[in-house]
């Protein structure tokens, strides 16, 4: 075989390079025309709005979608969150102790955002941010006789962060500091005769709204309704004993082996209860589950994303004594007594339980919670381990 001349070699290179060059051009122009091709089937109107996602505006549908086949819904190249993060920096840090909004934690960006176009900033699904929040937060009252101005306008982001925050309920900062960021000069005028500097705003005011003037909460503590003197006689801080003067039944409850009266953060009673006003007859500072979360965030975090979770009853007090109990975890009875109130047939045909059946690991009576974690686990029936073997051999090692 003779050696190629310079001319022959050049002609061969052109034959190899030309198709490759054409291919590069084709690859380069495909995204630019992808939108035109896509709109032959997909109505272009659905991809227009006041705010348009930049890939859509540029007709580059293939940045997110595979035009032929894909493993993910919507012909996406990746799962929704992973797809978003290819362009947008991750918006949360999963390795700290801050709170993450549930849709963000689940990678469900589309719960709040439209991927193509929207009427408002940030591609939010609703023009007003608050309107979109009500889609999930259905327990919130939409309209009040007296509403907080940002709430009435649907401006939830005035006080809350949408993705992640260090404060409970995704508040931007501590409640009192947050309130003072807007309400400065009018505080002294609205608190004539207040014993000291106005503080702890939420013990009197509902941050969203109320039927009362000044957004005062709906239920007044009886002494507060009559005046401040009964509790604040002589000035100074009000101690636990002052609360127990009226609530004698609580005094007996907190004497139990497992007590909620820890003494942390000052007066433990007002850690959970408002001394002035609330929106419930128990004078909880918030919904009971949110009150519990302020201290037990680690417990909530341990089961929030588990595959199998106990149905949400909305109140921890369904199973736990809120002040004190002789039972572990302040339960309203032993594990069997608490669980059987709803699970009536359990213990009648399943694994033996009761005082005559001892757990060889602890020597204590076998109850439901020896095998089940009632809040949630990754195993069916809320079992602590795999019920096909791993859980059983904890006790039955000789079989």
């Amino acid at each position: 075989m003779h050696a190629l001349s310079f001319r022959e070699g050049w002609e061969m290179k052109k034959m190899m390079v030309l198709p490759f060059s054409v291919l590069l051009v084709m690859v380069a122009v495909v995204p630019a025309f992808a939108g035109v091709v896509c709109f032959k089937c997909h109505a272009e109107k659905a991809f227009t709005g006041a705010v348009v996602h930049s890939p859509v505006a540029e007709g580059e549908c293939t940045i997110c979608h595979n035009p032929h086949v894909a493993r993910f819904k919507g012909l996406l190249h990746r799962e929704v969150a992973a797809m978003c993060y290819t362009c947008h920096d991750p918006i949360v840090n999963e390795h700290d102790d801050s709170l993450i909004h549930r849709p963000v934690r689940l990678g469900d960006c589309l719960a709040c955002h439209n991927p193509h176009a929207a009427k408002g900033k940030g591609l939010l699904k609703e023009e007003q941010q608050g309107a979109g929040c009500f889609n999930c937060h259905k327990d919130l009252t939409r309209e009040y006789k007296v509403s907080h101005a940002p709430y009435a306008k649907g401006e939830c982001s005035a006080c809350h962060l949408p993705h992640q925050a260090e404060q409970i309920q995704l508040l931007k900062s501590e409640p009192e500091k947050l309130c003072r960021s807007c309400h400065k000069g009018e505080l002294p005028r609205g608190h004539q005769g207040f014993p000291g500097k106005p503080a702890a705003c939420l013990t009197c005011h509902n941050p969203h709204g109320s039927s009362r003037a000044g957004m005062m909460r709906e239920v007044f503590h009886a002494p507060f309704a009559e005046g401040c003197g009964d509790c604040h006689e002589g000035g100074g801080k009000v101690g636990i004993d002052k609360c127990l003067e009226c609530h004698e039944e609580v005094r007996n409850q907190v004497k139990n082996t497992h007590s909620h009266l820890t003494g942390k953060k000052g007066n433990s009673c007002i850690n959970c209860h408002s001394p002035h006003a609330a929106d419930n007859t128990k004078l909880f500072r918030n919904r009971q589950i949110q009150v519990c979360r302020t201290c037990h965030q680690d417990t909530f975090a341990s089961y929030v994303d588990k595959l199998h979770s106990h149905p949400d009853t909305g109140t921890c007090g369904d199973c736990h004594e809120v002040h004190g109990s002789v039972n572990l975890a302040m339960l309203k009875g032993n594990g069997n007594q608490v669980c059987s109130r709803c699970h009536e047939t359990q213990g009648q045909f399943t694994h033996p339980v009761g005082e005559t059946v001892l757990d060889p690991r602890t020597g204590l009576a076998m109850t439901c919670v020896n095998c089940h974690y009632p809040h949630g686990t990754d195993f069916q029936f809320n079992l602590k381990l795999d019920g096909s073997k791993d859980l059983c051999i904890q006790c039955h090692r000789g079989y």
Side-chain angles (χ1 to χ4, degrees):
M1 180 178 289
H2 70 282
L4 293 174
S5 67
F6 176 79
R7 183 179 181 81
E8 290 173 327
W10 175 245
E11 292 295 333
M12 182 174 290
K13 284 184 179 181
K14 286 200 299 182
M15 292 175 64
M16 296 173 62
V17 171
L18 185 59
F20 183 66
S21 302
V22 171
L23 180 60
L24 286 177
V25 173
M26 290 177 65
V27 171
V29 300
V30 164
F33 291 99
V36 177
V37 174
C38 298
F39 292 148
K40 288 182 178 180
C41 296
H42 301 279
E44 188 170 358
K45 184 178 180 180
F47 299 85
T48 59
V51 180
V52 180
H53 199 192
S54 56
V56 177
E58 296 169 9
E60 297 181 345
C61 306
T62 54
I63 285 181
C64 299
H65 302 277
N66 188 310
H68 301 122
V69 65
R71 294 174 54 197
F72 305 104
K73 186 177 180 180
L75 291 176
L76 289 173
H77 293 299
R78 304 180 184 183
E79 292 181 347
V80 172
M83 193 70 252
C84 296
Y85 292 152
T86 58
C87 295
H88 303 278
D89 291 334
I91 55 179
V92 298
N93 178 8
E94 298 180 354
H95 303 293
D96 62 20
D97 296 328
S98 58
L99 302 177
I100 301 175
H101 197 192
R102 180 176 173 80
V104 179
R105 196 176 62 247
L106 298 178
D108 187 11
C109 307
L110 303 186
C112 301
H113 301 276
N114 273 322
H116 301 125
K119 293 180 179 180
K121 184 179 178 181
L123 290 173
L124 289 170
K125 285 190 170 181
E126 302 286 347
E127 187 171 4
Q128 287 187 327
Q129 297 177 29
C133 297
F134 283 121
N135 290 335
C136 294
H137 300 280
K138 300 181 186 298
D139 57 328
L140 293 177
T141 302
R142 289 204 176 217
E143 296 182 3
Y144 291 95
K145 183 178 179 181
V146 180
S147 292
H148 194 197
Y151 187 81
K153 296 176 183 177
E155 296 174 352
C156 303
S157 59
C159 299
H160 301 273
L161 292 171
H163 301 128
Q164 186 176 26
E166 295 182 358
Q167 295 294 322
I168 192 168
Q169 294 185 303
L170 298 175
L171 289 174
K172 287 184 172 181
S173 63
E174 296 177 354
E176 183 179 333
K177 182 179 179 181
L178 186 61
C179 295
R180 288 181 179 275
S181 66
C182 293
H183 303 280
K184 301 173 183 176
E186 72 268 30
L187 286 179
R189 295 194 302 272
H191 295 80
Q192 296 293 328
F194 195 87
K197 181 181 178 181
C201 312
L202 300 187
T203 64
C204 294
H205 303 278
N206 185 316
H208 294 150
S210 169
S211 65
R212 298 176 181 269
M215 298 194 308
M216 290 293 292
R217 292 188 182 272
E218 304 294 344
V219 180
F220 282 7
H221 190 199
F224 175 72
E226 297 172 3
C228 305
D230 284 352
C231 296
H232 292 279
E233 183 180 2
K237 292 185 177 180
V238 178
I240 297 170
D241 289 338
K242 175 59 69 174
C243 300
L244 297 180
E245 286 179 8
C246 297
H247 302 282
E248 185 65 30
E249 75 285 359
V250 176
R251 184 188 298 274
N252 296 326
Q253 293 169 7
V254 298
K255 290 180 180 179
N256 285 315
T257 308
H258 303 281
S259 172
H260 223 167
L261 200 58
T262 62
K264 295 180 180 179
K265 299 181 182 178
N267 185 340
S268 291
C269 300
I270 63 173
N271 285 352
C272 301
H273 301 279
S274 171
H276 302 133
D279 293 318
N280 55 82
T281 57
K282 298 293 185 182
L283 293 176
F284 282 124
R285 285 177 171 269
N286 201 329
R287 290 188 301 123
Q288 188 183 96
I289 193 169
Q290 293 295 350
V291 170
C292 297
R293 190 188 293 270
T294 57
C295 293
H296 300 284
Q297 178 56 33
D298 55 340
T299 300
F300 284 85
S302 69
Y303 67 85
V304 68
D305 289 328
K306 297 301 182 182
L307 296 177
H308 302 277
S309 295
H310 193 276
D312 184 10
T313 63
T315 170
C316 305
D318 286 347
C319 299
H320 301 274
E321 294 284 3
V322 294
H323 294 123
S325 168
V326 297
N327 298 293
L328 193 64
M330 291 172 51
L331 288 173
K332 286 187 170 181
N334 64 39
N336 298 332
Q337 293 167 337
V338 173
C339 299
S340 62
R341 288 181 307 162
C342 296
H343 304 279
E344 297 177 355
T345 60
Q346 298 307 305
Q348 298 179 14
F349 61 87
T350 57
H351 192 285
V353 294
E355 297 297 329
T356 60
V357 184
L358 301 183
D359 186 332
R361 297 167 296 180
T362 64
L364 301 177
M366 182 70 72
T367 71
C368 305
V369 295
N370 289 56
C371 298
H372 303 271
Y373 182 60
H375 292 139
T377 74
D378 285 329
F379 303 102
Q380 192 175 20
F381 310 120
N382 287 15
L383 291 173
K384 292 182 176 179
L385 293 169
D386 185 354
S388 64
K389 178 182 177 182
D390 293 346
L391 180 64
C392 301
I393 62 175
Q394 295 289 306
C395 298
H396 302 283
R397 295 181 180 275
Y399 292 89

